[in-house]
Amino acid sequence: AHPDRHILLDQYLSLNGSVAAREEASTRISRRYWKACVKIITPWIEERKALVMKYFRPQIDRIGAGNKGNITIPRSNRTADIDPDELELNNIVGMYYSGQITATSPDEQSALKVCQRVKAVRDDIAHLRAPTSQALVDLIYEMDRLVRT
């Protein structure tokens, strides 16, 4: 019961400790990783959302103009009308696959790739699973390529 045990000690114990110490250290590492995903990655995505959405904004505005300003998005086996400002990056993926929007320019293709990476990470978090480290690396790489901040 050492809540502030250093992560490097837990890493060492997870590899070299007794069976019980390895299990406890691995559990603490997993909990820290989960908390980092929720507390750091989710806000990081939100901070960059508008920078990604801008590549689809002209298409979104055209769609909204024909639907009283709203966007009809696919949701499981149904659809929902929402304000364009309420769209999430996940919605862009669904709109792309349903043919509502396209990604023809290189910037749109890069933005779509970011949205796909975000969707994978957020789906894991929404289902209380920690995203893989590779999924996070892929997301950060694609986001940095697109946003350059």
Side-chain angles (χ1 to χ4, degrees):
H2 303 280
D4 53 353
R5 180 171 291 183
H6 197 280
I7 188 69
L8 293 178
L9 177 56
D10 274 340
Q11 179 63 21
Y12 174 82
L13 290 173
S14 74
L15 298 172
N16 302 300
S18 67
V19 172
R22 284 195 307 263
E23 290 174 8
E24 290 172 9
S26 292
T27 298
R28 283 190 299 272
I29 291 169
S30 293
R31 245 184 315 213
R32 281 182 173 200
Y33 181 75
W34 169 250
K35 286 179 183 178
C37 288
V38 172
K39 290 182 176 182
I40 305 298
I41 296 300
T42 302
W44 180 83
I45 290 168
E46 286 301 312
E47 288 174 357
R48 288 156 180 78
K49 177 180 150 183
L51 298 171
V52 176
M53 291 294 251
K54 76 178 183 181
Y55 295 101
F56 297 106
R57 197 64 201 212
Q59 292 182 69
I60 290 167
D61 290 343
R62 281 193 299 276
I63 294 167
N67 190 27
K68 300 177 187 173
N70 289 321
I71 303 295
T72 302
I73 59 166
R75 283 210 175 140
S76 300
N77 296 334
R78 57 186 172 79
T79 59
D81 283 347
I82 65 171
D83 183 281
D85 293 330
E86 298 299 316
L87 284 173
E88 296 293 335
L89 298 176
N90 293 7
N91 299 132
I92 296 298
V93 176
M95 292 173 72
Y96 174 78
Y97 287 123
S98 70
Q100 288 180 280
I101 61 170
T102 61
T104 53
S105 75
D107 283 341
E108 289 170 339
Q109 290 171 359
S110 292
L112 177 63
K113 194 175 281 190
V114 167
C115 293
Q116 291 167 327
R117 302 282 195 240
V118 165
K119 182 177 181 342
V121 167
R122 287 192 115 163
D123 285 354
D124 279 343
I125 292 171
H127 294 285
L128 303 178
R129 296 183 303 254
T132 65
S133 58
Q134 188 60 55
L136 293 175
V137 168
D138 293 345
L139 168 58
I140 292 166
Y141 174 77
E142 293 298 337
M143 185 73 80
D144 285 351
R145 277 186 56 211
L146 179 69
V147 175
R148 298 171 188 97
T149 61

